[in-house]
Amino acid sequence: MKLEHITKAYADKVIFSDFSLELPKAGAVTLMGPSGCGKTTLLRILCGLETPDNGLVETENAAIAVVFQEPRLLPHKNACDNLRIATGCSEQQACELLQDLGFDPTDCKKYPAELSGGMQQRVSIARALLFGGEIYVLDEAFKGVEETLRKQLIERFKKLSQNALVVQVTHQRDEAELLGGEIITLAADPCRVAQREICG
Amino acid sequence: MTHSITQSKTTAKSIIKFLLAALFWVGVWELVYLLVGHDTIVASPWQTLLRVIELGSQGNFWLICLKSIASIVVGYLCGIAAGGLFAVLSNYCTGAQTLLSPLLHVVRATPVASFILLAYFWMQTKNIPAFIAFLIVLPIIWGNTHEGLRSCDPQLLEMGRVYGFSRLKTLWQIRLPAAVPYFLSGCRTALGLAWKSGVAAQALVRPDNTIGNELQNAKIALETVDIFAWTAVVIVLSVLLERTVMLIFDRVRKPRKGASS
């Protein structure tokens, strides 16, 4: 995955100016940096949700599973159906994974409004896991998820990073270290790579 | 348990308040009747009630009511179907939006009376009330549903894009559920208007066995009591129709638990 000479501005604020970044086909990459430095915009460009004003984005048409900062669940569908509709999995697969992530069988049939914020986020993570793909994009994905489960989930993504690219944005150093791979620290105005380090 | 007792107390209170308010206005009506003192100008509440009961005992009355309801409901349902379809089309196709938009504005701005009179030349009188109800309902449903489709959560649309939802799937799973409250609100508004304009059309073009025709007959015969009685029937039927439609909509909405993501 490659970003070459990206330029992106919102009104008068320049987020990226001639920004380039190359990421491996498989592995784990954590993007860190101060708020507003462009981490989320970078992820959105990678996912194709934002188009750069100039420059080239090369994702080789890889299937991308995204965990957004917000759960973004269909409000009129229960947890299980949210997974089925987005990923095409069976009801059994959906329920099994949700139970793996700490859901009671009854919780699987609950609607988003009936679930806590943390549970909704777990459904959103389950959606990405079931969707699969060559790239996993996690934008502060573990916010509101309970500590033990958070570690388990990061471990799960770490395993996936053996065959896929896992890119996460986080403010938590421990989440970056748990995922391992590379930590890229970004600086703001405009966004640039301040530091690259290999951890684990 | 405590909650349900409190709720039923509140409902009983609001019913009593409503009945007291209604009684007050019936009193005002009676007072106006006494002040005017002329049966040809104002009928009394008592005369009206007796006449409604009398009409109700005639077999023809129920046929008139059913026929009036049926023709207006047919127009209403066609308006809902066409309005919904146009909303989806204009939401998905800019060309359709450009093409249909002037039509929407013309239908909205044209007086109902003009349509009624024009329809008189275009079709059989028995079909005009349904056609007028259709024309009244169409722009309301169209406008409301279009607004609902446009105002769906952009974050959900992004989720759909990322997870490869097709256009149909996006419409079915994201846009339409977001438009449901707008659509239902449109249906509710449109029902009252369809009913009123449908009866007005019946009064102007006078198809057989319709409430509007009966109102017109009463006017010609200077039977003020009959006009009041048929108007009362129109009001009661309007309330019943609205309640029935709302009950159906509530059933439709019931499985859609949870309003936000």
Side-chain angles (χ1 to χ4, degrees), chain B residues 23-38 42-45:
Chain B
L23 210 62
F24 168 79
W25 287 110
V26 171
V28 171
W29 177 7
E30 179 68 28
L31 197 67
V32 170
Y33 167 74
L34 291 172
L35 286 173
V36 172
H38 208 301
V42 182
S44 77

Side-chain angles (χ1 to χ4, degrees), chain B residues 113-186:
Chain B
S114 303
F115 277 128
I116 297 171
L117 296 173
L118 282 171
Y120 206 65
F121 299 117
W122 299 340
M123 58 187 73
Q124 288 182 306
T125 52
K126 64 174 182 180
N127 296 327
I128 294 176
F131 177 65
I132 295 303
F134 168 80
L135 283 182
I136 292 294
V137 173
L138 176 78
I140 297 171
I141 299 298
W142 184 355
N144 271 38
T145 312
H146 183 58
E147 187 59 33
L149 290 169
R150 272 162 38 117
S151 68
C152 74
D153 186 352
Q155 292 194 338
L156 283 182
L157 289 175
E158 281 188 354
M159 183 279 291
R161 262 179 74 187
V162 163
Y163 285 98
F165 281 26
S166 65
R167 289 184 89 173
L168 188 68
K169 197 169 177 181
T170 305
L171 174 70
W172 193 248
Q173 299 294 354
I174 300 174
R175 288 193 186 272
L176 283 182
V180 166
Y182 291 81
F183 171 77
L184 293 183
S185 146

Side-chain angles (χ1 to χ4, degrees), chain B residues 58 74 109 123 126 203 221 240 243:
Chain B
Q58 296 165 5
V74 166
M123 58 187 73
K126 64 174 182 180
L240 288 177
R243 287 287 150 99

